[in-house]
Structure formats: C-alpha cells, structure tokens
Amino acid sequence: MAYGFNPAGVWGTKGWPFSQGVIAGEGVTLHITGQVGWNAEGRLVGPGDAATQAVQAFENIRVILEAAGGALEDIVALTIYFLDRGDLPAIREVRQRYLPMPGAPASTAVQVAGLVEPDLLVEFTPVALIPHKRFKQPKR
C-alpha cells in the first residue's frame, strides 16, 4: 500500500487532494494510458462539460484498475492535462470525489493548448501500485 504525506515546510495543497510525496510499497506497477471522456463505445460523454468528462475518465480508470485487481486507492501518481483554467474547480471536485485525502496521489496539472480531439477538455494519466495479494493478470 502506498503512503502519501505532506510535510511541514513545503507549500500546502491549495485545496487539491494530493500528497507532496508518496512512498510506494511492494506491488505491481500499472501505468495507465491517458483517460478522457470517451465511453466504452468510443463516444464523447459531456461535450463542453469538463466535470462530466472527468467522471467518465475516472470510471475508465476504475475499469482498467479492476481488470488487474486494483482500485482507485492504488493510484500513486496522477498527471492532469486540461485546456481551460476555468474548468479547474469542476475538475478538482470530481478528482476529490474519486481520490480523497488522506493518501491522495502525488500529482501534476498541466494546461495544454489541446488534446487528441478538439472536444476533449481534460485527460488523466495515472500510475498505480497494485499490492501483490490483489494483483491478477488481466485478459488482453
């Protein structure tokens, strides 16, 4: 199990649920492709709505983790790519719902000019550490 921490003497999290440092224990590291607001059929969920796209992205992440025996709390690092700073409060609320404190992952947020398709507003790229006792080899 990973252990997130926020030591004194470093800037605060400014309302975001993340840890300044994460110590990862033993397990299987799972790098997940950036997830966006596409559903299982490949259609965009929530055009123009960053929160709805963020929910779909986290649901995609959940499915991928579960296929390998993992869970959202196994995420140790998360990179967030977003287009509009005005969407950050909505993205933060969704992220906090899926990755609450304490123990939230180490994180980076990057504003970008665009994502792979023009209607996408947010993308999450997580890294998870699944404990050996729960890991299962996913089907291809």
Side-chain angles (χ1 to χ4, degrees):
M1 186 96 178
Y3 175 79
F5 63 99
N6 291 300
V10 178
W11 54 273
T13 62
K14 298 184 179 213
W16 282 86
F18 71 88
S19 299
Q20 291 285 1
V22 174
I23 299 169
E26 292 187 25
V28 176
T29 302
L30 173 59
H31 296 267
I32 299 175
T33 292
Q35 293 299 308
V36 296
W38 289 333
N39 64 18
E41 291 76 38
R43 288 192 290 275
L44 179 64
V45 174
D49 184 345
T52 300
Q53 290 185 26
V55 167
Q56 181 63 55
F58 271 112
E59 289 301 322
N60 295 342
I61 292 166
R62 181 194 316 271
V63 169
I64 294 164
L65 284 163
E66 288 175 355
L72 289 167
E73 58 266 19
D74 297 327
I75 296 173
V76 296
L78 180 70
T79 303
I80 304 166
Y81 302 96
F82 65 94
L83 271 63
D84 185 344
R85 286 184 196 275
D87 289 334
L88 286 177
I91 293 168
R92 179 185 327 192
E93 189 279 322
V94 171
R95 184 192 187 286
Q96 205 156 2
R97 194 176 338 145
Y98 282 89
L99 303 173
M101 293 296 283
S107 299
T108 300
V110 182
Q111 185 174 16
V112 295
L115 296 169
V116 69
E117 288 190 3
D119 290 333
L120 295 172
L121 303 175
V122 62
E123 182 171 338
F124 300 106
T125 305
V127 177
L129 183 74
I130 302 170
H132 289 295
K133 66 183 176 189
R134 281 195 280 114
F135 176 75
K136 62 182 181 182
Q137 188 68 43
K139 296 178 183 176
R140 291 182 178 211

